[in-house]
């Protein structure tokens, strides 16, 4: 047996998941995390763009209101 097989067998015998299974799960979780992180960054970018557009609109509205009064 290889060292990895020995470690997996010892872990299983002790009631734990084999180390190779932890590595597979970590890779899956890491991939899911990266996808979620990318989605969050994209959402924050859209929120930032919307905030800028809102501020531009409010500034234009305020400028129009000022001209109405003045």
């Amino acid at each position: 047996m290889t060292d990895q097989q020995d470690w997996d067998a010892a872990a299983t015998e002790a009631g734990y998941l084999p180390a190779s299974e932890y590595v597979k799960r970590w890779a899956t979780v890491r991939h899911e995390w990266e996808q979620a992180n990318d989605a969050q960054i994209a959402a924050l970018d859209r929120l930032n763009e919307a905030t800028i557009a809102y501020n531009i609109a409010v500034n234009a509205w305020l400028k129009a209101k000022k001209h109405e009064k003045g």
Side-chain angles (χ1 to χ4, degrees):
M1 286 206 307
T2 66
D3 285 343
Q4 184 63 55
Q5 289 170 327
D6 289 341
W7 297 331
D8 285 351
T12 302
E13 194 174 307
Y16 297 101
L17 285 175
S20 58
E21 185 62 28
Y22 278 110
V23 170
K24 286 181 204 169
R25 288 185 183 195
W26 179 87
T28 300
V29 169
R30 176 67 186 192
H31 177 71
E32 290 171 359
W33 178 87
E34 286 174 349
Q35 287 179 325
N37 191 50
D38 290 345
Q40 182 180 24
I41 290 169
L44 289 171
D45 286 345
R46 288 191 301 276
L47 177 61
N48 188 43
E49 290 169 7
T51 301
I52 291 168
Y54 171 80
N55 288 336
I56 290 169
V58 167
N59 287 335
W61 179 79
L62 289 171
K63 187 183 274 188
K65 283 297 203 184
K66 183 178 178 183
H67 288 297
E68 284 177 11
K69 289 181 180 180

